[in-house]
Amino acid sequence: MKKSTRTLLAAALVLGVAAGPAVVPAVAATPPAAAASQASSPDLSAVIAGLPRADATAALVRVGGTEGSWQGSAGVHDLESGAPADPAARFRAGSVTKVFTAATVLQLAAEGRIDLDRPARSYLPDLIPGRYARVTVRQLLNHTHGIPAPDFPGDTVEEWYANRFVVHTPEAMVRSATAKPREFRPGTRQHYLNIGYTIAGLLVERVTGDTYERQVERRILRPLGLRDTYFPGEAAGITGPYNHGYQTMRLDDGTTGLRDVSVWGTTDGWAAGDIVSTTADLERFTRVLFKGGVVRGPLLEEMFTLPKVPDLKSGDPAAYSAGLSMKRLGGREVWGKTGGRWGYNSAIASTRDGARTLVYSVNSTDAKGQDMNPTALGLMVAAYGLPD
């Protein structure tokens, strides 16, 4: 991938969170050959060939749809053993969680239990103060609410790592965020943050009298047979088979290198970013979602409708809908969502008609960096093409 291409797509592609720098310390391990099944896809194979390398230690990929299918995996299960990556492994899907949360809220809206135009404070008056009285449920889902991010301990990856087992409650995160002045008048700008989905998760609990996790399981996971998808709660480890995630950071001896970050609490993400899944489960979820089998009728259009407001930071047109985001790639609209947790980057994407779907998990060595991970970037370009 040429640097100019990487720079172009990293600046233009907004299917979720960014991931990993282009240059990090080299990984010392012998890469196994990429394993693939079904129809050959040289471009996709080339993207993941040679893993592990500086930016990633493993990658799992599934492409589907009416245009054909392809599955591939490359890299290692862990750097110590050098064993091949498990293609059926579970991984932290990060902000892909938001798609499940948005779908759950929209199902409740279809049932008349949630009104998207009603202020969120009317459901959670004990948590949302008067300064945010006009924020609607729809604005929570499309990031136009103006509520800032909560405070968390630490500013560097090393500080975050030291606090990786701290448990964050959604109520405390909401109180921290809503104690601050609003970033903008609700409905006038868009700023992608987790806090709207934290509130949405609490809203689900308030109107159902049930936990957020059980509602998603009952409404989506069980009906779709997503048996390898689950919410970890306060557990810091991944249940079942997984490929280890690594993060570039300062080590105990003062040098910079890779640390195994597979065990790391995700309570700071909760309904915005804590789900664990597999590429097979996410591919099925994406396929059924886009066909209207998860959110039905007019409310599905909420997931494919961008608010007509500018982005707070860039001034560009809004790119996020309720749960998804859109970018024109290779001459057509591609909708989807990426996610990032330390050591793991993931994505689901599809054309609106389902002609081509893409799901990947990349074990990135800087999954929360400012630039998009080169391997993840290459997969998106190989699957769909460059931005228009």
Side-chain angles (χ1 to χ4, degrees), residues 87-172:
R90 292 174 173 176
F91 52 84
R92 302 191 190 282
S95 286
V96 173
T97 309
K98 293 182 177 70
V99 190
F100 290 83
T101 304
T104 300
V105 172
L106 292 173
Q107 284 190 10
L108 288 166
E111 296 165 10
R113 303 170 75 179
I114 289 178
D115 183 342
L116 298 181
D117 293 314
R118 186 176 171 183
R121 187 171 188 261
S122 66
Y123 297 99
L124 299 165
D126 51 322
L127 276 176
I128 301 177
R131 66 165 58 92
Y132 294 108
R134 295 187 178 181
V135 172
T136 67
V137 176
R138 179 180 283 106
Q139 290 164 351
L140 294 177
L141 298 181
N142 65 22
H143 305 282
T144 61
H145 47 74
I147 303 173
D151 293 325
F152 292 108
D155 297 313
T156 66
V157 61
E158 292 81 11
E159 291 171 334
W160 274 90
Y161 180 76
N163 290 290
R164 66 193 182 280
F165 299 131
V166 173
V167 174
H168 305 274
T169 68
E171 293 85 358

Side-chain angles (χ1 to χ4, degrees), residues 95 97-98 101-102 105 120 124 127-128 137 139-141 143 145 147-150 152 168-178 192-206 212-213 266-274 341:
S95 286
T97 309
K98 293 182 177 70
T101 304
V105 172
L124 299 165
L127 276 176
I128 301 177
V137 176
Q139 290 164 351
L140 294 177
L141 298 181
H143 305 282
H145 47 74
I147 303 173
F152 292 108
H168 305 274
T169 68
E171 293 85 358
M173 290 189 285
V174 173
R175 291 190 180 99
S176 172
T178 58
Y192 178 83
L193 290 172
N194 281 351
I195 190 61
Y197 279 76
T198 303
I199 298 172
L202 289 170
L203 195 155
V204 168
E205 295 193 333
R206 185 64 58 90
Y212 159 79
E213 293 86 351
T266 57
T267 55
D268 60 299
W270 194 51
D274 74 345
R341 295 295 307 185

Side-chain angles (χ1 to χ4, degrees), residues 57-351:
T57 60
L60 314 177
V61 189
R62 295 175 74 99
V63 174
T66 57
E67 295 179 355
S69 60
W70 182 85
Q71 298 172 28
S73 65
V76 295
H77 169 266
D78 65 276
L79 294 177
E80 288 69 27
S81 71
D86 179 356
R90 292 174 173 176
F91 52 84
R92 302 191 190 282
S95 286
V96 173
T97 309
K98 293 182 177 70
V99 190
F100 290 83
T101 304
T104 300
V105 172
L106 292 173
Q107 284 190 10
L108 288 166
E111 296 165 10
R113 303 170 75 179
I114 289 178
D115 183 342
L116 298 181
D117 293 314
R118 186 176 171 183
R121 187 171 188 261
S122 66
Y123 297 99
L124 299 165
D126 51 322
L127 276 176
I128 301 177
R131 66 165 58 92
Y132 294 108
R134 295 187 178 181
V135 172
T136 67
V137 176
R138 179 180 283 106
Q139 290 164 351
L140 294 177
L141 298 181
N142 65 22
H143 305 282
T144 61
H145 47 74
I147 303 173
D151 293 325
F152 292 108
D155 297 313
T156 66
V157 61
E158 292 81 11
E159 291 171 334
W160 274 90
Y161 180 76
N163 290 290
R164 66 193 182 280
F165 299 131
V166 173
V167 174
H168 305 274
T169 68
E171 293 85 358
M173 290 189 285
V174 173
R175 291 190 180 99
S176 172
T178 58
K180 304 175 186 180
R182 67 188 188 189
E183 292 188 322
F184 49 83
R185 184 163 54 85
T188 63
R189 298 286 189 275
Q190 185 174 79
H191 186 193
Y192 178 83
L193 290 172
N194 281 351
I195 190 61
Y197 279 76
T198 303
I199 298 172
L202 289 170
L203 195 155
V204 168
E205 295 193 333
R206 185 64 58 90
V207 301
T208 64
D210 194 6
T211 67
Y212 159 79
E213 293 86 351
R214 279 197 296 264
Q215 282 293 304
V216 177
E217 181 180 5
R218 183 176 72 81
R219 293 170 175 276
I220 301 175
L221 304 189
R222 278 187 290 180
L224 270 60
L226 308 183
R227 296 180 179 86
D228 289 310
T229 302
Y230 75 97
F231 295 93
E234 296 183 7
I238 300 174
T239 301
Y242 66 91
N243 298 316
H244 289 234
Y246 297 87
Q247 167 66 33
T248 303
M249 66 173 75
R250 189 177 63 254
L251 304 178
D252 296 338
D253 62 3
T255 63
T256 298
L258 294 179
R259 187 189 293 274
D260 190 327
V261 293
S262 307
V263 179
W264 192 313
T266 57
T267 55
D268 60 299
W270 194 51
D274 74 345
I275 207 167
V276 173
S277 192
T278 63
T279 54
D281 272 10
L282 290 182
E283 182 181 55
R284 175 167 176 75
F285 172 64
T286 302
R287 184 173 64 251
V288 177
L289 176 72
F290 277 63
K291 286 183 178 179
V294 179
V295 180
R296 296 173 173 83
L299 283 167
L300 179 60
E301 289 306 310
E302 293 289 335
M303 305 191 82
F304 299 101
T305 302
L306 301 176
K308 298 183 184 302
V309 298
D311 179 82
L312 176 65
K313 294 185 176 181
S314 69
D316 295 334
Y320 298 95
S321 63
L324 299 175
S325 183
M326 188 279 287
K327 186 62 190 176
R328 288 191 60 84
L329 302 173
R332 54 185 174 177
E333 289 186 358
V334 177
W335 293 83
K337 188 73 190 74
T338 61
R341 295 295 307 185
W342 300 111
Y344 299 90
N345 276 123
S346 62
I348 64 172
S350 180
T351 53

